[in-house]
Amino acid sequence: MQSEFEQIVERHYAALFRFALSLSGSEADAGDLTQQVFWLWASKGDQLRDRSKVKSWLFTALHREFLNAQRRRVRFPHKELEEADNELPTVPSMVTEGYNAAEVLAALAKVDEPYRGALSLFYLEDYAYHEAAEILQVPVGTMKSRVSRGIAQLQNLLKEPHMGETGPRGRPI
Amino acid sequence: MNHRTAQQHLLDWRPCEKNSSPEQEEALRLVASDPLLAAWFEAHCQAQADIRSRLREMRVPEGLKTAILSGAPSVGKVVRPNFSGLLALAASIALLLGLGLFYFGANSDNEVKAFRSRMVGNALRNYRMDLLSKDLGEIRSYLAAAKWPADYQLPVNLEKVTGWGCARLTWQGKPVSMICFARGGRPDLFLFVADQIDVTGSAQVGSVRVEMEKKLSTATWVQGGRFYVLSVEGDESLLRRYLP
């Protein structure tokens, strides 16, 4: 008979791994993040009274762990999204033909945080905006702005030639 | 609303979303009457669907679930013995004890492997140093001030190598010091130090154990209540020069 912990791992580990992979862009980092978040659940999960919220608890914890690790590595420019809205580029159709999953993932990993987390949830889990906003612990309006901004960045990255030969921030080496 | 603002409002539109904003409703009305905008919108929705489906193709590594289950702290498991006779009960207890010892041993070993794998993974990936310094004394002082493992004992030959810096890592919420050494112009020797009680099963490691981990020659050992992992970019003979 499976324990509750085993059932939760069984049910959510793949989705969490994909979320982690879309955030980090690295399979090894995603594996570490996924393991870490289940360790947190095993240690602190009993504090969650509403068991229907296990999934969003895990996603929130994973995103927080990712940001903590990220803050230790880089200082990313954080621009208020409402200010950034006016700077959205003109919007041509996004070109996705000819890109495989790995290339789309590589491009997504280059989207700036905090847009990347919002965009990952937007694509991967089909959470409603209010649910995704709850996971990222931001207002719904901010969540939507982040998705818009993220899509704009992603389509710029996908427009760049030779995705496989790009340097930092997607610029050709 | 003009063509461009309509595009911006529709950028984050999703067919599954029940509550469109008033601006999106207006933009959608414009789509119905503007063929150019309609063409853009159709291509945009198709692109979003493509990206979504491609991201969902991402493969989950085999063994991840096992690693999660073996790396997590033990969680309560309900065991309901269902035997009537005393003999059966005694036999079951003996069997459970045997299995328990076996399981504990295997689980402990898995945790040591998981720790080593995670730490070596840190060395291989882009990591950020918390302190860049060639001075091993300064590195030790920095870690001590941060209340990270700093009372480590460096093997004699490792003490002679120039430092590069250090980083504060964690393992299951517990501190792990990463000390980097550079024999040439870049860091290529990595020492990880954790408290022995924070890595289940490390006590059983005892004397030096050498194994390859993710293309790095890696040694583990326990000394003075600390659990050590040393990795080097090179073969085992190189690694052995720096072991206690």
Side-chain angles (χ1 to χ4, degrees):
Chain A
M1 186 176 122
Q2 277 189 320
S3 68
E4 187 204 22
F5 179 76
E6 287 167 335
Q7 286 172 16
I8 287 169
V9 171
E10 176 75 42
R11 203 171 298 143
H12 301 300
Y13 84 100
L16 281 163
F17 173 80
R18 289 194 182 96
F19 182 43
L21 186 53
S22 68
L23 290 171
S24 66
S26 149
E27 195 169 297
D29 285 344
D32 287 351
L33 274 168
T34 311
Q35 288 184 57
Q36 177 70 9
V37 85
F38 278 112
W39 182 85
L40 285 172
W41 171 257
S43 311
K44 299 177 182 171
D46 56 348
Q47 293 167 14
L48 182 72
R49 288 189 178 179
D50 184 353
R51 305 309 266 188
S52 68
K53 296 200 167 172
V54 171
K55 188 177 179 185
S56 61
W57 188 100
L58 292 167
F59 273 77
T60 303
L62 191 144
H63 187 245
R64 196 184 304 123
E65 285 296 304
F66 168 73
L67 290 180
N68 287 341
Q70 198 69 1
R71 280 190 195 105
R72 291 166 46 77
R73 288 177 189 172
V74 290
R75 290 187 179 279
F76 48 80
H78 186 103
K79 194 176 239 182
E80 284 305 317
L81 289 148
E82 286 65 25
E83 289 172 24
D85 277 351
N86 295 329
E87 298 169 20
L88 280 171
T90 50
V91 191
S93 296
M94 187 182 273
V95 179
T96 54
E97 276 177 29
Y99 289 109
N100 60 32
E103 287 165 332
V104 172
L105 181 66
L108 182 58
K110 287 174 186 163
V111 170
D112 286 337
E113 268 298 342
Y115 316 124
R116 200 188 316 157
L119 206 52
S120 299
L121 289 174
F122 175 80
Y123 284 129
L124 285 171
E125 279 300 306
D126 280 345
Y127 276 112
Y129 276 120
H130 72 274
E131 293 169 317
E134 199 177 308
I135 286 171
L136 300 181
Q137 300 178 316
V138 294
V140 175
T142 304
M143 171 70 197
K144 294 187 78 172
S145 298
R146 289 184 182 185
V147 169
S148 294
R149 190 72 187 162
I151 289 175
Q153 276 198 8
L154 183 64
Q155 71 184 13
N156 283 334
L157 288 162
L158 287 173
K159 270 192 300 188
E160 287 177 356
H162 311 302
M163 274 294 300
E165 300 169 18
T166 54
R169 304 248 50 83
R171 295 191 181 95
I173 295 169
Chain B
M1 184 176 288
N2 63 28
H3 192 100
R4 188 179 170 220
T5 50
Q7 283 183 327
Q8 289 181 355
H9 286 302
L10 291 171
L11 211 52
D12 62 345
W13 182 85
R14 290 196 295 185
C16 62
E17 200 69 36
K18 287 173 188 160
N19 303 314
S20 299
S21 66
E23 292 80 10
Q24 279 182 333
E25 296 290 345
E26 191 183 341
L28 286 169
R29 281 194 292 277
L30 203 58
V31 166
S33 62
D34 181 339
L36 266 181
L37 185 62
W40 170 85
F41 186 55
E42 188 183 343
H44 173 70
C45 290
Q46 184 59 52
Q48 300 310 301
D50 283 352
I51 289 177
R52 188 170 285 119
S53 70
R54 276 168 213 177
L55 288 175
R56 284 179 177 165
E57 290 168 12
M58 290 187 293
R59 192 183 59 82
V60 179
E62 283 176 28
L64 177 61
K65 192 171 82 173
T66 311
I68 291 166
L69 292 172
S70 62
S74 58
V75 286
K77 225 176 196 178
V78 181
V79 180
R80 297 178 193 281
N82 192 21
F83 307 110
S84 52
L86 278 174
L87 189 62
L89 182 61
S92 302
I93 289 170
L95 182 63
L96 284 172
L97 276 174
L99 286 173
L101 284 172
F102 174 76
Y103 177 78
F104 178 76
N107 216 29
S108 300
D109 200 37
N110 282 342
E111 181 156 340
V112 169
K113 283 179 186 165
F115 177 84
R116 191 182 62 207
S117 169
R118 173 96 63 91
M119 294 306 131
V120 171
N122 278 309
L124 287 172
R125 293 192 293 279
N126 287 332
Y127 49 84
R128 180 184 166 84
M129 295 285 186
D130 292 315
L131 174 72
L132 275 173
S133 172
K134 292 180 177 176
D135 183 347
L136 294 177
E138 189 185 358
I139 290 173
R140 192 187 289 273
S141 302
Y142 172 83
L143 291 168
K147 296 192 172 14
W148 244 247
D151 57 346
Y152 45 81
Q153 201 168 338
L154 294 179
V156 178
N157 282 339
L158 197 55
E159 273 184 334
K160 297 172 190 166
V161 182
T162 309
W164 183 270
C166 66
R168 290 170 297 146
L169 309 178
T170 57
W171 166 253
Q172 299 182 344
K174 299 293 183 343
V176 180
S177 296
M178 174 186 185
I179 302 114
C180 305
F181 301 83
R183 292 176 309 123
R186 63 186 185 89
D188 59 355
L189 260 168
F190 309 91
L191 180 70
F192 302 89
V193 187
D195 199 316
Q196 185 189 315
I197 58 169
D198 293 337
V199 186
T200 310
S202 60
Q204 291 154 28
V205 172
S207 56
V208 179
R209 188 193 286 181
V210 175
E211 281 169 271
M212 284 300 287
E213 181 73 53
K214 295 175 180 167
K215 299 178 190 168
L216 294 191
S217 301
T218 300
T220 49
W221 71 93
V222 169
Q223 194 174 13
R226 294 293 188 196
F227 180 47
Y228 295 83
V229 175
L230 179 66
S231 294
V232 65
E233 290 179 19
D235 61 19
E236 188 181 324
S237 61
L238 176 65
L239 176 71
R240 289 200 178 276
R241 288 186 215 164
Y242 302 102
L243 296 181

